[in-house]
């Protein structure tokens, strides 16, 4: 994928030329199309924290700038113009408020944009402060939203940790984390579905690499750590839910024995089942896919796929749940987080299953 990172000094220099003749667009403008768990408590400073949260719209004019107020200076954003999803401009947000000029000298006429958060809550939150367009330009009515909806509950695999890193390089750099190219986001686009990505690197069902788990985290409005914010689930209901968890449990329990007393097989199945049942109570009509992989929790001989299968079979038998399936992404032997080509293969497998079950 072609990438262009906007150096902060260049962005500031370009903005100096734009600032004398610019039309501001407030974050509260009704023509902006937001997707994701976003905190709108302050209408003109909505807070974005979850991976792949997006803002879309259409505008007139020949230039386009974005105003962000970033909490920590660790977030990255994709900006796609005119529907070209193969060539994002990548913003490396600096700490505090700044304006980033994404494009100048565009062809006159109408254009479209899509902004997505590449990074996660662990990189901090960002307040969206609006847009700046040419003098006299403005937003146009947005396109229709997808009618289908899909939500993902997952860990670093779902978030796209390291997916743009070199095959033989590190996979924990913020610049290489791109939730837009995770299997989850790829599958959602293939299915023409609007998506929410409720994920956090390092999280597990029974134990995480930090002091909170997905059962503590899944209902938050803010993705920044363990907090008291609460998402209103009535605001957005998915048709399909994908749960891809237990990879971190498999390391911290099965490999490192960090959870004591260590849960036995039955307790592991029960903990996973209880979380999925929480999701079922929230979304009684949704089709749920209990997935796992494609890191070493699905390696040959691993017991963890069996825990997922046992939990699903119990939900089918004990609760009469007929709208639930399992899906396992095979471990290829690659020793780090999946790269983009792994995500593409996993997305194809998930897309095929959902199409078959949902008629999409």
């Amino acid at each position: 994928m072609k990438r262009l990172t906007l150096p902060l000094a260049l962005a500031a220099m370009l903005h100096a030329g734009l600032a004398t003749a610019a039309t501001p667009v407030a974050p509260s403008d009704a023509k902006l199309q937001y997707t994701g768990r976003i905190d709108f408590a302050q209408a003109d400073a909505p807070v974005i924290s979850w991976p792949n949260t997006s803002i879309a719209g259409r505008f007139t004019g020949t230039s386009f700038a974005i105003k962000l107020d970033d909490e920590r200076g660790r977030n990255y954003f994709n900006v796609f113009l005119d529907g070209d999803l193969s060539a994002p401009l990548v913003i490396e947000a600096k700490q505090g408020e700044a304006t980033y000029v994404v494009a100048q000298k565009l062809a006159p006429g109408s254009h479209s944009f899509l902004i997505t958060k590449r990074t996660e809550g662990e990189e901090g939150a960002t307040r969206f402060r609006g847009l700046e367009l040419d003098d006299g330009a403005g937003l146009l009515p947005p396109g229709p939203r997808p009618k289908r909806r899909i939500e993902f509950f997952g860990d670093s695999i779902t978030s796209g940790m390291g997916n743009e890193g070199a095959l033989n390089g590190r996979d924990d750099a913020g610049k290489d984390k791109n939730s837009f190219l995770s299997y989850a986001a790829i599958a959602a686009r293939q299915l023409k579905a609007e998506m929410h990505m409720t994920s956090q690197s390092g999280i597990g069902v029974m134990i995480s690499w930090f002091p909170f788990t997905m059962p503590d985290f899944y209902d938050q409005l803010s993705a920044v750590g363990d907090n008291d914010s609460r998402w209103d689930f009535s605001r957005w209901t998915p048709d399909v839910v994908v749960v891809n968890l237990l990879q971190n449990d498999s390391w911290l329990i099965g490999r490192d024995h960090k959870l004591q007393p260590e849960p036995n097989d039955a307790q592991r199945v029960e903990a996973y089942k209880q979380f999925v049942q929480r999701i079922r109570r929230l979304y009684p009509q949704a089709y749920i896919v209990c997935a796992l992989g494609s890191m070493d929790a699905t390696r040959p001989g691993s017991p963890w796929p069996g825990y997922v299968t046992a939990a699903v079979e119990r939900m089918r038998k004990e609760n009469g749940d007929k709208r639930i399936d399992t899906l396992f992404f095979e471990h290829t032997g690659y020793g780090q987080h999946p790269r983009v080509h792994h995500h593409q293969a996993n997305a194809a497998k998930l897309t095929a299953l959902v199409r078959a079950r949902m008629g999409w």
Side-chain angles (χ1 to χ4, degrees):
M1 171 177 286
K2 179 181 178 183
R3 282 187 10 174
L4 173 62
T5 301
L6 299 180
L8 298 180
L10 175 59
M13 182 171 62
L14 289 172
H15 179 242
L18 182 69
T20 56
T23 298
V25 175
S28 57
D29 193 302
K31 294 186 178 70
L32 292 171
Q33 193 172 83
Y34 293 92
T35 302
R37 295 188 184 186
I38 300 171
D39 184 352
F40 290 104
Q42 297 182 34
D44 281 327
V47 180
I48 296 170
S49 57
W50 295 94
N52 212 54
T53 303
S54 69
I55 308 167
R58 299 170 61 238
F59 66 99
T60 60
T62 62
S63 65
F64 184 77
I66 302 168
K67 299 176 71 173
L68 302 174
D69 184 357
D70 195 74
E71 180 182 13
R72 300 176 184 171
R74 294 174 54 199
N75 278 305
Y76 289 78
F77 291 83
N78 292 315
V79 185
F80 303 95
L81 294 177
D82 295 331
D84 185 356
L85 301 184
S86 67
L89 293 100
V90 179
I91 293 176
E92 179 182 359
K94 72 174 187 178
Q95 189 173 22
E97 190 165 346
T99 301
Y100 304 89
V101 178
V102 175
Q104 291 185 314
K105 299 182 179 179
L106 296 170
S110 64
H111 300 277
S112 65
F113 69 89
L114 173 64
I115 304 165
T116 70
K117 189 174 190 280
R118 294 167 60 98
T119 39
E120 303 178 78
E122 69 177 4
E123 281 82 21
T126 308
R127 292 185 180 274
F128 175 59
R129 292 288 190 176
L131 308 173
E132 288 187 359
L133 307 175
D134 287 347
D135 187 26
L139 292 183
L140 299 169
R145 285 185 178 274
K147 294 182 180 180
R148 302 165 179 170
R149 293 179 173 182
I150 184 169
E151 182 168 12
F152 292 81
F153 293 89
D155 50 35
S156 57
I157 300 171
T158 298
S159 294
M161 168 73 85
N163 59 352
E164 289 194 329
L167 279 173
N168 62 343
R170 57 183 287 190
D171 63 356
D172 59 349
K175 68 179 180 62
D176 295 328
K177 182 188 294 185
N178 186 1
S179 58
F180 189 80
L181 288 181
S182 83
Y183 77 93
I186 295 170
R189 290 193 294 277
Q190 291 175 342
L191 293 165
K192 295 181 172 58
E194 185 172 282
M195 67 99 71
H196 282 197
M197 187 180 285
T198 308
S199 61
Q200 166 68 55
S201 292
I203 205 162
V205 174
M206 292 167 279
I207 187 173
S208 306
W209 294 90
F210 32 76
F212 60 92
T213 62
M214 184 58 84
D216 304 314
F217 186 68
Y218 76 105
D219 59 353
Q220 294 179 185
L221 172 59
S222 168
V224 183
D226 186 20
N227 59 68
D228 294 330
S229 68
R230 287 294 173 263
W231 168 245
D232 180 359
F233 284 94
S234 68
R235 288 174 52 181
W236 192 89
T237 303
D239 305 296
V240 175
V241 174
V242 179
V243 178
N244 188 353
L245 294 164
L246 293 182
Q247 177 62 55
N248 291 296
D249 301 80
S250 77
W251 284 329
L252 291 167
I253 297 174
R255 183 190 68 188
D256 298 344
H257 308 288
K258 294 291 187 181
L259 184 58
Q260 297 297 326
E262 187 165 305
N264 59 31
D265 289 349
Q267 290 168 327
R268 299 177 194 191
V269 172
E270 181 63 20
Y272 182 82
K273 181 176 76 74
Q274 286 183 6
F275 175 69
V276 177
Q277 285 180 320
R278 289 192 190 189
I279 303 304
R280 170 55 78 210
R281 286 192 291 270
L282 289 168
Y283 307 133
Q285 304 304 318
Y287 168 60
I288 298 177
V289 181
C290 291
L292 183 61
S294 60
M295 296 183 76
D296 63 2
T298 56
R299 70 188 184 280
S302 169
W304 293 87
Y307 302 146
V308 175
T309 299
V312 169
E313 288 177 349
R314 285 181 58 183
M315 289 183 66
R316 287 172 175 161
K317 182 177 180 179
E318 297 173 6
N319 306 106
D321 196 333
K322 298 179 180 179
R323 293 182 59 77
I324 189 167
D325 276 311
T326 60
L327 180 67
F328 301 112
F329 304 124
E330 294 83 2
H331 180 48
T332 64
Y334 183 63
Q336 299 191 75
H337 283 94
R339 297 312 198 238
V340 171
H341 69 281
H342 300 123
H343 282 278
Q344 290 170 334
N346 294 339
K349 189 170 184 178
L350 174 59
T351 297
L353 176 65
V354 173
R355 282 178 175 161
R357 295 293 189 268
M358 298 292 291
W360 288 1

